[in-house]
Amino acid sequence: MRTHQPLQSPAIGPLLRAWRERRRRSQMDLSLEAGISQRHLSYVEGGRASPSREMVLRLAEELEVPLRDRNALLLAAGYAPAFPERPLDDPALGAARGVVEAILRAHAPFPALAVDRHWVMLAANAAVGALLAGVENRALLTPPVNVLRLSLHPRGLLPMIANAAEWRAHILERLRRQVAAGADPVLAALLAELSALPAPAPGAAGMPALVPGGIAVPLVLDLPAGRLALIGTTTVFGTPVEVTVSELAIEAFYPADEATAALLRSLAG
């Protein structure tokens, strides 16, 4: 008697369907863009057909699945991962490290830091250290340092943030979007942890809702040396094909006014 074996591990179908639904794409829309039939996509999602390696990669590209999760999709379909993952100190990532270090150095005397996908600080320039000097709970500065936890902890940066309620709302919303866009349980746990921290009172006296011109939510810090108003930007590698590099981000802060620029220059000595 012949025993019928399933065509594939049942994991790939539900995984693909979860990513499609997360991106709010219909089977019709995705199949048209990926160049496959809707029926075949339905069979793949239902576990009745086995996708080729090329199809998995094509669907993952169309769904903008992160490289780490593309590897997981390939493994679920029975294929080897396509994208290497190395520690940041691996010699093969020397060029990427050099780019990060060059950006951090060039940004001085303004603060800039590099983080991984879980918001763990990987590197920072000297200007960041000046901002963290007043953190009460020094354990928050013991590696691995999670910059979102450090920012919102009541014994971290939060007491120094003049617009703390506004900044907390901005950080939590940004993290919610990340959790909704991906499938990372660590970020989901971080969101739950930070949401449970005591919330500051809204409407700090004398604090404008936005920097002049209303272009961004500022980070306004009250340091012993004076008040800093900072606007943040995020830089990522444009066309990464390695997992660690794809998850690197540089958070750089710029002065929102001339007084902040002058104070940062004086702090740099």
Side-chain angles (χ1 to χ4, degrees):
M1 180 181 293
R2 182 178 179 181
T3 302
H4 293 279
Q5 297 295 332
L7 290 172
Q8 61 180 68
S9 164
I12 182 61
L15 279 176
L16 278 173
R17 182 172 61 251
W19 278 107
R20 179 177 59 78
E21 292 173 347
R22 189 174 289 116
R23 297 294 185 255
R24 300 182 179 182
R25 304 283 294 274
S26 68
Q27 283 187 348
M28 174 69 76
D29 172 52
L30 179 58
S31 62
L32 286 173
E33 294 297 327
I36 63 175
S37 72
Q38 181 183 358
R39 173 178 290 186
H40 189 50
L41 177 58
S42 176
Y43 281 1
V44 169
E45 289 189 358
R48 290 182 291 169
S50 181
S52 67
R53 184 177 185 275
E54 292 70 24
M55 179 182 293
V56 173
L57 290 172
R58 189 160 67 249
L59 291 169
E61 175 71 21
E62 183 62 35
L63 292 170
E64 299 181 353
V65 177
L67 299 192
R68 178 181 299 276
D69 297 291
R70 295 186 197 193
N71 280 343
L73 287 172
L74 287 167
L75 286 169
Y79 303 111
F83 306 98
E85 180 182 3
R86 307 175 180 91
L88 189 56
D89 59 1
D90 190 290
L93 298 188
R97 284 197 313 277
V99 170
V100 171
E101 292 164 1
I103 293 174
L104 298 184
R105 284 196 307 270
H107 199 64
F110 308 142
L113 61 154
V115 296
D116 68 10
R117 72 189 191 280
H118 294 147
W119 292 93
V120 172
M121 186 163 61
L122 302 175
N125 64 13
V128 172
L131 304 186
L132 303 181
V135 171
E136 178 186 353
N137 184 354
R138 306 307 288 181
L140 293 169
L141 300 177
T142 301
V145 176
N146 185 284
V147 298
L148 298 191
R149 182 181 295 115
L150 177 62
S151 177
L152 299 187
H153 198 282
R155 296 179 63 201
L157 273 178
L158 196 68
M160 293 179 277
I161 301 178
N163 60 334
E166 181 184 34
W167 184 252
R168 178 180 184 271
H170 163 67
I171 290 296
L172 292 181
E173 178 57 29
R174 184 173 178 181
L175 189 52
R176 285 189 195 99
R177 289 197 301 268
Q178 281 189 280
V179 170
D184 194 321
V186 175
L187 287 179
L190 180 62
L191 175 60
E193 174 195 339
L194 299 184
S195 298
L197 291 174
M207 271 304 308
L210 296 173
V211 295
I215 61 172
V217 176
L219 171 61
V220 184
L221 290 170
D222 281 331
L223 304 182
R227 173 168 284 188
L228 298 175
L230 303 166
I231 299 174
T233 65
T234 302
T235 301
V236 297
F237 283 85
T239 54
V241 292
E242 196 277 342
V243 173
T244 299
V245 172
S246 74
E247 295 171 345
L248 275 174
I250 297 174
E251 299 290 320
F253 292 89
Y254 293 82
D257 51 48
E258 287 302 320
T260 295
L263 181 53
L264 286 169
R265 292 188 184 100
S266 69
L267 290 174

